[in-house]
């Protein structure tokens, strides 16, 4: 099969905001307890954080981590996770039917974030609580004033403010499963009043309002229009969440689902801009795709109620999941003019690229690798990709799926063009012609491939079946290049100029 990909230095999509390589840690299952925090583990530091897990997170180069939920945040009292640990209450978490010990809260999490070389993206509870608690939390985290909550932080041992810059106004408030679920009108009003108080407290922060929980919500579209109508001038981003599954066991359609993700993004951009036009506003509201991933392997698991740190949502990912994750990352990169933040949900143990054994090893799933390369090497300016290739039609005839998914990032500092590409064909290799217009002569420097003949191949603590390999480069200096992409493979090819 033949395909071509052309970019031109003068046609950028936009500068990548590093926050698109964010992730997410919720108080859920063993994400916190047994994941990032296990004081008895041999690698634990003096605060109880697993250093082996931090090492893996460092490899992923995650610039921001959303916390503490997710559904959990909608019933959370942030004060429970601050101050002396022996005085912290154990509470019921109604979102996941577990017991929360509160041994980790914002006091500890911001310390962990520093150690993991990342920033916190903080979500506030707009389910069972409201503007007052959100404003108090912001004062606790960010203010240097001689006032009650800033002083409470000092009393708890933190003289300097935490300086958290990105804040989510609740979580999935359109969903009936959410504690304190609201109609769009109710949420629009609550989010506006909370946004006002938060920006008056600290004008330097950025605020994210809840969009739809996924593109298939019956309220999609109306929800965004109504909520944005209320909040437009007070907020910076609207959230999108989407998880994909391969219950149908149709690999071709499954790895094409990033086309659906692209449609979701473009739809929300259109809605933001419609509200902008209606309001004669000068500002843009951008997008925070703050929950995205593959999630289905653990569906239907049995739940024991009121357990502490149970094994929950511990999906074991396979190679085709990594292909889709790779394609979704390219979709985020190709929409970087409007997607300013995105969080792979989640980071450790819960639908995650990093897994831990209780008191044992930490290991990585196949999905770890496309993320690691995208985050480390996909920094700079995305160029507009012109792709010519064959496509196939999704089984419900909803959209066409091109065999080639690709993104091209121009890193001017390093003088390199980084091409990410997936050949979606399940049977044929692809001869790809690349053309870099308006660049001086370029030469291939590196080709990394993720491939396994078996789309269902998995990794485990014992054995890594899916891991990247270096491909031999045969290339001449020039504007045009030929590269072979193996059938159903993920690739990163780097050209120097
Ligand atoms: O990431 C798991 C859950 O998925 C989150 O708690 C919720 O926001 C979403 O439905």
């Amino acid at each position: 099969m033949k395909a071509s990909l052309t970019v031109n230095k003068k046609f950028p999509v936009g500068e990548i905001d590093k926050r698109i390589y964010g992730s997410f840690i919720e108080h859920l299952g063993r994400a916190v307890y047994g994941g990032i925090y296990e004081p008895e583990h041999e690698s634990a530091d003096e605060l109880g954080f697993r250093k082996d897990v931090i090492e893996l997170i460092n490899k992923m180069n995650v610039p921001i981590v959303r916390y503490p939920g997710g559904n959990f945040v909608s019933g959370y009292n942030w004060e429970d996770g601050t101050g002396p640990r022996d005085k912290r209450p154990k509470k019921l978490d109604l979102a996941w039917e577990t017991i929360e010990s509160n041994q980790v809260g914002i006091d500890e999490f911001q310390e962990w974030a520093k150690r993991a070389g990342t920033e916190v993206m903080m979500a506030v509870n707009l389910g069972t609580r409201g503007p007052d608690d959100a404003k108090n939390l912001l004062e606790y985290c960010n203010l240097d004033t001689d006032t009650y909550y800033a002083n409470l932080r000092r009393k708890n041992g933190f003289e300097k403010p935490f300086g958290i810059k990105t804040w989510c106004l609740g979580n999935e408030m359109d969903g009936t499963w959410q504690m304190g679920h609201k109609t769009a009108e109710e949420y629009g009003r609550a989010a506006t009043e909370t946004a006002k108080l938060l920006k008056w407290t600290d004008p330097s922060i950025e605020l994210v309002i809840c969009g739809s929980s996924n593109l298939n919500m019956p309220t999609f579209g109306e929800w965004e229009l109504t909520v944005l109508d209320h909040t437009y001038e007070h907020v910076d981003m609207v959230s999108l969440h989407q998880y994909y599954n391969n219950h149908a066991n149709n690999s071709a359609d499954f790895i094409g689902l990033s086309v659906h993700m692209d449609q979701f993004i473009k739809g929300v951009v259109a809605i933001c801009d419609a509200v902008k036009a209606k309001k004669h506003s000068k500002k843009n509201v951008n997008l925070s795709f703050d929950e995205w991933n593959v999630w289905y392997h653990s569906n239907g698991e049995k739940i024991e109620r009121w357990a502490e740190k149970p094994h929950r949502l511990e999906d074991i990912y396979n190679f085709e999941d990594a292909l889709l994750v790779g394609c979704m990352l390219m979709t985020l990169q190709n929409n970087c003019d409007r997607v300013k933040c995105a969080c792979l949900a989640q980071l450790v143990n819960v639908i995650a690229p990093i897994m831990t054994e209780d008191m044992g090893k930490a290991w990585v799933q196949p999905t770890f690798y496309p993320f690691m390369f995208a985050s480390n090497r996909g920094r700079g300016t995305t160029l507009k990709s012109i792709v010519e290739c064959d496509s196939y039609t999704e089984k419900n005839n909803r959209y066409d799926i091109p065999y080639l998914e690709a993104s091209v990032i121009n890193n001017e500092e390093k003088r390199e063009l980084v091409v990410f590409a997936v050949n979606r064909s399940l049977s044929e290799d692809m001869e790809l012609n690349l053309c870099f217009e308006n660049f001086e002569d370029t030469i291939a420097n590196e080709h990394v491939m993720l491939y396994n003949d078996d789309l269902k191949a998995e990794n485990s603590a014992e054995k890594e079946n899916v891991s990247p390999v270096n491909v031999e480069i045969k290339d001449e200096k020039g504007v045009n290049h030929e590269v072979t992409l193996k059938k159903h493979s993920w690739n990163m090819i780097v050209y120097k100029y």
Side-chain angles (χ1 to χ4, degrees):
M1 178 185 310
K2 287 204 180 307
S4 76
L5 169 58
T6 305
V7 293
N8 186 316
K9 193 178 192 177
K10 294 190 176 161
F11 300 145
V13 174
E15 192 68 24
I16 288 185
D17 186 321
K18 67 177 181 183
R19 290 176 300 178
I20 71 165
Y21 303 118
S23 190
F24 176 32
I25 296 262
E26 177 167 6
H27 282 252
L28 196 186
R30 297 189 309 128
V32 174
Y33 308 107
I36 61 168
Y37 177 78
E38 196 168 42
E40 307 80 22
H41 192 270
E42 58 178 12
S43 83
D45 65 13
E46 77 290 359
L47 288 181
F49 295 121
R50 281 184 65 154
K51 286 195 274 195
D52 57 344
V53 173
I54 288 181
E55 247 171 61
L56 292 173
I57 293 170
N58 285 340
K59 284 192 184 166
M60 288 172 75
N61 198 2
V62 182
I64 192 163
V65 179
R66 186 165 173 255
Y67 176 83
N71 297 338
F72 171 82
V73 78
S74 296
Y76 184 51
N77 289 358
W78 65 267
E79 301 90 331
D80 294 345
T82 59
R85 277 159 144 189
D86 56 345
K87 302 225 162 42
R88 295 189 191 175
K90 271 194 178 188
K91 292 242 174 121
L92 294 178
D93 164 31
L94 301 186
W96 300 105
E97 301 175 283
T98 50
I99 291 181
E100 171 55 48
S101 69
N102 281 308
Q103 287 306 294
V104 173
I106 187 57
D107 286 357
E108 292 75 28
F109 192 74
Q110 58 80 35
E111 278 296 324
W112 173 83
K114 279 191 245 160
R115 287 156 205 238
T118 192
E119 266 176 44
V120 180
M121 176 187 200
M122 193 76 197
V124 302
N125 175 356
L126 288 193
T128 59
R129 301 186 101 188
D132 195 41
D133 311 294
K135 145 188 109 26
N136 296 342
L137 172 60
L138 177 59
E139 180 191 324
Y140 184 88
C141 291
N142 282 13
L143 262 61
D144 216 358
T145 47
D146 180 14
T147 47
Y148 181 80
Y149 288 101
N151 284 333
L152 186 61
R153 182 195 67 239
R154 292 187 185 96
K155 191 171 148 214
N156 290 338
F158 306 99
E159 184 54 40
K160 273 185 64 188
F162 304 152
I164 299 174
K165 290 294 171 210
T166 316
W167 291 71
C168 304
L169 296 169
N171 176 69
E172 295 189 350
M173 299 307 300
D174 60 330
T176 49
W177 59 86
Q178 203 67 214
M179 286 178 264
H181 156 71
K182 293 178 175 40
T183 64
E185 278 291 337
E186 288 165 348
Y187 175 66
R189 288 291 307 124
T192 304
E193 293 309 314
T194 308
K196 278 163 52 184
L197 268 57
L198 293 185
K199 291 246 171 153
W200 289 342
T201 305
D202 180 355
S204 73
I205 60 172
E206 281 194 69
L207 292 177
V208 185
I209 41 155
C210 296
S212 294
S213 301
N214 61 71
L215 183 52
N216 301 327
M217 291 296 286
T219 47
F220 170 72
E222 262 321 304
W223 173 273
E224 279 78 0
L225 279 170
T226 308
V227 170
L228 281 166
D229 206 34
H230 283 287
T231 55
Y232 198 86
E233 292 303 335
H234 304 281
V235 300
D236 305 281
M237 289 179 263
V238 57
S239 76
L240 295 81
H241 290 183
Q242 189 76 50
Y243 296 96
Y244 291 117
N245 70 70
N246 191 12
H247 281 308
N249 198 15
N250 178 338
S251 299
D253 278 4
F254 176 66
I255 58 179
L257 281 164
S258 54
V259 175
H260 181 269
M261 183 193 206
D262 188 59
Q263 289 178 352
F264 189 10
I265 291 172
K266 300 232 162 41
V268 176
V269 168
I271 293 170
C272 289
D273 291 351
V275 179
K276 175 183 177 180
K278 183 182 157 204
K279 289 185 176 290
H280 305 282
S281 176
K282 283 205 176 93
K283 77 180 245 198
N284 274 344
V285 167
N286 287 314
L287 275 52
S288 170
F289 213 125
D290 47 42
E291 285 189 37
W292 68 269
N293 204 346
V294 173
W295 173 11
Y296 74 106
H297 299 283
S298 62
N299 288 175
E301 68 187 356
K302 285 218 172 67
I303 293 160
E304 185 207 336
R305 293 184 91 204
W306 313 133
E308 273 191 62
K309 50 173 177 169
H311 287 249
R312 291 283 299 276
L313 313 187
E314 299 197 0
D315 281 42
I316 298 301
Y317 290 112
N318 59 32
F319 174 55
E320 69 182 6
D321 298 330
L323 289 176
L324 177 56
V325 163
C327 290
M328 290 170 89
L329 283 157
M330 293 170 213
T331 304
L332 294 170
Q333 291 165 336
N334 284 330
N335 285 288
C336 72
D337 53 332
R338 298 304 293 270
V339 179
K340 299 294 172 190
C341 187
C343 304
L344 173 70
Q346 299 193 7
L347 187 53
V348 184
N349 285 333
V350 173
I351 45 173
I354 297 172
M355 302 299 288
T356 67
E357 295 180 309
D358 291 321
M359 298 297 286
K361 271 166 88 171
W363 57 280
V364 303
Q365 305 232 39
T367 52
F368 177 90
Y369 290 110
F371 189 100
M372 179 183 87
F373 286 105
S375 176
N376 281 290
R377 307 300 294 275
R379 306 278 176 128
T381 304
T382 304
L383 299 178
K384 176 142 190 52
S385 289
I386 307 297
V387 170
E388 286 179 275
C389 70
D390 289 344
S391 51
Y392 54 101
T393 303
E394 183 260 352
K395 77 168 184 307
N396 295 319
N397 219 1
R398 290 180 303 175
Y399 45 81
D400 286 341
I401 303 168
Y403 281 104
L404 175 67
E405 178 80 66
S407 59
V408 183
I409 319 297
N410 179 17
N411 188 328
E412 288 206 353
E413 219 176 284
K414 292 190 178 162
R415 294 185 66 80
E416 63 185 30
L417 279 169
V418 183
V419 178
F420 296 100
V422 163
N423 173 7
R424 289 195 178 98
S425 170
L426 302 183
S427 54
E428 274 183 61
D429 291 355
M430 179 181 280
E431 297 308 323
L432 175 63
N433 178 269
L434 289 154
C435 179
F436 303 133
E437 291 177 355
N438 268 318
F439 281 91
E440 294 155 31
D441 284 349
T442 50
I443 186 154
N445 182 255
E446 198 181 345
H447 182 170
V448 181
M449 175 176 75
L450 196 65
Y451 175 77
N452 195 297
D453 212 36
D454 178 6
L455 287 167
K456 309 291 181 190
E458 298 167 349
N459 292 346
S460 68
E462 287 72 46
K463 190 149 188 259
E464 184 152 307
N465 295 310
V466 185
S467 55
V469 292
N470 286 313
V471 179
E472 200 195 329
I473 304 160
K474 301 181 209 109
D475 195 43
E476 300 276 310
K477 229 182 185 165
V479 172
N480 280 282
H481 302 267
E482 296 289 334
V483 63
T484 303
L485 306 181
K486 210 170 162 58
K487 67 172 183 177
H488 61 74
S489 66
W490 172 98
N491 301 266
M492 181 188 77
I493 313 134
V494 181
Y495 295 84
K496 286 281 181 194
Y497 62 88

